[in-house]
Amino acid sequence: MITALFMYDSKGDVIVAKTYKEGVKRSISEVFRIQIITSSERHGPRSPVLTLGSTSFVYIRSGSVWICAVTRSNQDCGVILEFLYKFNSLVEEAVGTKGTGLEDEALVNNFVMIHEVLDEVIEFGFPTNLEPAYVSSHVQGYGHQSSTGLFRNKSLIAKAKPKLTSQKSSQSSSYPWRPEGIKYRRNEIYLDVSERINALLSEEGEVLQAFVDGKINMKTHLSGMPECQFGFNDDSILLENETVYGGGSGGVVLEDSKFHQCVQLTRFSTDRTIRFVPPDGEFTLMSYNCRSAIELPFSVTPVVRTLHNRLMYTIRIKAQFSKKLPAIDVVLRIPTPKGVIWNNASASGGRFKYHPEENVYLWRFPKFFGEDEHEFRAEVEVNDSEDDYTTSLSTWSRPPMSLEFKLEMYSSSGLSVRYLRVSEKASYRTVKWVKYETEGGKYQIRY
């Protein structure tokens, strides 16, 4: 609903800023300052909703403070205004000026508390619980400020910022990458297995070279000090160097494996379990290479024949994965010689276009479903003059074709995550996601 929220002082300077969706820059706050705050000094009050293009500014004024919600979709402005008035009431009570409006000084001196109130009452752009009793139970020091809104009582400072006990300090020192006291209303953990496949195929379709560069990226929003664990498939092997052993067993061999400092590998050798206390937010848990038993998602069979000053292409591409999966943004680059003076092409699927400035055909598929097979035929004529050897077919180097693609829920290395678990003494419910993504790197085909 709400894309961003800003709180301005009487001069139009942003004191509090919070963005909830991507694609919104901080500079958008300047639009509201110029269009509303500056112009209101000259022209008086205006409508509480300002719409510029696809962006709407819904705002109220409390004392000398402006509170503005930004939205980039067709939303109910009445609901947003109701939220702003309730939020203003909560902030007034937090700083001790309930019913009298907000002032610049109270906003500046209670900056941290206002951010904490925002974190509790709005989540991912949607208002949640705006009851004062709920906010006071989740925000320390809420409702105990003086009339000036300043933390002048030392006992209140101690209450708002409790000191760490020796036990907590020792626990925090055990996990220097994760601070104490993290709390989320919605606990989530995302695990992404991202692989980039590089391959070189012969004109007969034989794999001359193939390897995978992989990463396991994680995003965690978990409260407390949780211990996470996940297990690979039983036949996976991790190597610390490039000496491959066990390759004949048909298992997944991961070479050059590097782990984040949070990972404990003590039990991996026995049950293929990786345990860790994660950092908060996004991080790379592991990186690896794989050079054996790689499954190529596409096979490309090119036939290129030369007849005098003409080249005739017949290219077949087939998806070698499940028909339930669609690869997206599939592009096959088909080189041609320089000096092409005529061309003609056809394809059983996708779209193609000849780019003379690059001397290449681009054959594109927005979606390419598994087990599908398509054929491309083309004929080009070259100005094959003896005076210009640069356009001669006999001197053409035949650079390899290249394939680009993205494929989700597919792992070229065969690596799979059997389970993902989160253990924490609070025993809260956790939303868990595991995703696989493979994309083409240097995926080339000779002809």
Side-chain angles (χ1 to χ4, degrees):
M1 176 182 287
I2 296 175
T3 305
L5 190 140
F6 301 102
M7 298 182 72
Y8 302 80
D9 62 13
S10 56
K11 298 179 181 179
D13 295 328
V14 177
I15 304 299
V16 177
K18 195 84 170 178
T19 56
Y20 298 98
K21 294 184 180 180
E22 297 179 355
V24 177
K25 298 181 180 179
R26 174 70 180 268
S27 58
I28 200 172
S29 62
E30 287 296 303
V31 177
F32 179 79
R33 182 182 66 82
I34 296 171
Q35 295 288 334
I36 297 297
I37 298 179
T38 304
S39 63
S40 65
E41 297 176 356
R42 292 175 291 181
H43 305 292
R46 299 179 60 177
S47 168
V49 180
L50 171 67
T51 301
L52 299 173
S54 61
T55 304
S56 295
F57 300 86
V58 185
Y59 61 94
I60 62 172
R61 186 169 186 179
S62 175
S64 62
V65 172
W66 298 80
I67 307 175
C68 173
V70 182
T71 179
R72 282 194 166 179
S73 56
N74 188 16
Q75 299 293 342
D76 189 338
C77 295
V79 175
I80 298 178
L81 281 171
E82 183 180 3
F83 162 76
L84 292 178
Y85 280 111
K86 287 186 177 181
F87 172 67
N88 173 65
S89 179
L90 289 173
V91 175
E92 287 181 355
E93 185 170 344
V95 302
T97 60
K98 188 171 181 61
T100 60
L102 297 173
E103 299 299 328
D104 300 354
E105 186 181 16
L107 205 65
V108 172
N109 288 287
N110 292 282
F111 173 82
V112 175
M113 177 172 290
I114 293 173
H115 264 278
E116 291 180 357
V117 173
L118 264 178
D119 290 339
E120 293 297 334
V121 301
I122 189 167
E123 186 173 355
F124 302 112
F126 293 90
T128 54
N129 195 334
L130 286 92
E131 293 296 325
Y134 168 80
V135 176
S136 63
S137 64
H138 286 77
V139 178
Q140 291 182 332
Y142 177 84
H144 297 287
Q145 269 61 3
S146 65
S147 60
T148 61
L150 304 178
F151 285 104
R152 299 196 181 276
N153 192 317
K154 293 183 180 180
S155 63
L156 293 180
I157 297 176
K159 185 176 181 180
K161 297 182 179 180
K163 295 182 180 180
L164 294 173
T165 63
S166 58
Q167 182 180 0
K168 289 185 178 180
S169 299
S170 61
Q171 185 180 13
S172 178
S173 62
S174 302
Y175 310 109
W177 55 85
R178 184 178 180 88
E180 289 280 340
I182 298 176
K183 182 175 65 175
Y184 288 99
R185 294 187 58 201
R186 178 184 173 92
N187 293 279
E188 302 170 315
I189 181 169
Y190 300 88
L191 188 152
D192 293 342
V193 180
S194 301
E195 295 186 341
R196 185 179 181 87
I197 182 169
N198 305 276
L200 178 61
L201 309 180
S202 69
E203 56 184 319
E204 292 82 14
E206 180 185 355
V207 180
L208 302 177
Q209 182 183 10
F211 64 94
V212 170
D213 294 325
K215 288 184 179 181
I216 297 182
N217 298 314
M218 301 205 68
K219 183 178 181 181
T220 60
H221 292 156
L222 300 173
S223 304
M225 197 66 66
E227 182 182 68
C228 305
Q229 65 177 19
F230 67 88
F232 289 132
N233 33 323
D234 294 332
D235 55 358
S236 60
I237 302 172
L238 268 69
L239 306 181
E240 295 181 358
N241 51 53
E242 295 187 356
T243 304
V244 179
Y245 66 92
S249 63
V252 180
V253 181
L254 306 182
E255 306 176 24
D256 301 326
S257 304
K258 299 178 182 178
F259 296 89
H260 191 276
Q261 61 176 332
C262 67
V263 176
Q264 306 169 12
L265 292 174
T266 54
R267 295 187 58 182
F268 181 81
S269 59
T270 58
D271 59 6
R272 294 295 185 267
T273 299
I274 292 181
R275 296 175 179 269
F276 58 99
V277 176
D280 186 48
E282 299 182 19
F283 65 100
T284 298
L285 182 76
M286 172 186 175
S287 63
Y288 59 89
N289 296 327
C290 182
R291 300 178 184 273
S292 61
I294 295 174
E295 299 177 4
L296 298 184
F298 289 96
S299 66
V300 181
T301 308
V303 177
V304 182
R305 295 179 295 165
T306 303
L307 182 61
H308 301 298
N309 64 334
R310 291 193 177 189
L311 278 178
M312 288 166 284
Y313 297 81
T314 302
I315 303 169
R316 290 185 177 89
I317 180 171
K318 183 177 181 180
Q320 303 182 131
F321 47 89
S322 171
K323 61 182 179 181
K324 297 180 181 179
L325 300 178
I328 62 173
D329 299 333
V330 179
V331 181
L332 181 63
R333 298 177 63 90
I334 307 168
T336 65
K338 293 182 179 180
V340 172
I341 58 176
W342 175 85
N343 70 90
N344 184 36
S346 63
S348 62
R351 300 177 180 177
F352 61 87
K353 185 178 181 180
Y354 180 65
H355 295 263
E357 70 281 1
E358 300 181 32
N359 301 303
V360 67
Y361 270 108
L362 294 184
W363 189 16
R364 299 178 180 272
F365 295 86
K367 283 189 178 181
F368 201 121
F369 284 89
E371 301 183 8
D372 281 359
E373 183 175 359
H374 292 284
E375 184 178 82
F376 174 84
R377 291 179 178 270
E379 186 175 352
V380 298
E381 182 178 347
V382 180
N383 183 18
D384 195 7
S385 64
E386 297 181 358
D387 298 333
D388 189 1
Y389 72 92
T390 61
T391 62
S392 174
L393 292 180
S394 61
T395 59
W396 184 42
S397 62
R398 292 201 175 204
M401 301 177 187
S402 61
L403 183 65
E404 302 173 6
F405 60 88
K406 291 182 180 179
L407 181 57
E408 293 189 352
M409 304 313 295
Y410 179 89
S411 172
S412 290
S413 66
L415 186 69
S416 64
V417 177
R418 291 187 291 125
Y419 61 85
L420 175 61
R421 298 171 184 162
V422 178
S423 302
E424 215 277 333
K425 60 182 180 180
S427 299
Y428 47 70
R429 183 179 178 182
T430 307
V431 177
K432 293 174 283 189
W433 296 88
V434 178
K435 187 179 75 171
Y436 303 86
E437 183 179 78
T438 297
E439 66 175 7
K442 198 174 181 180
Y443 201 106
Q444 298 181 334
I445 306 97
R446 290 179 178 173
Y447 53 93

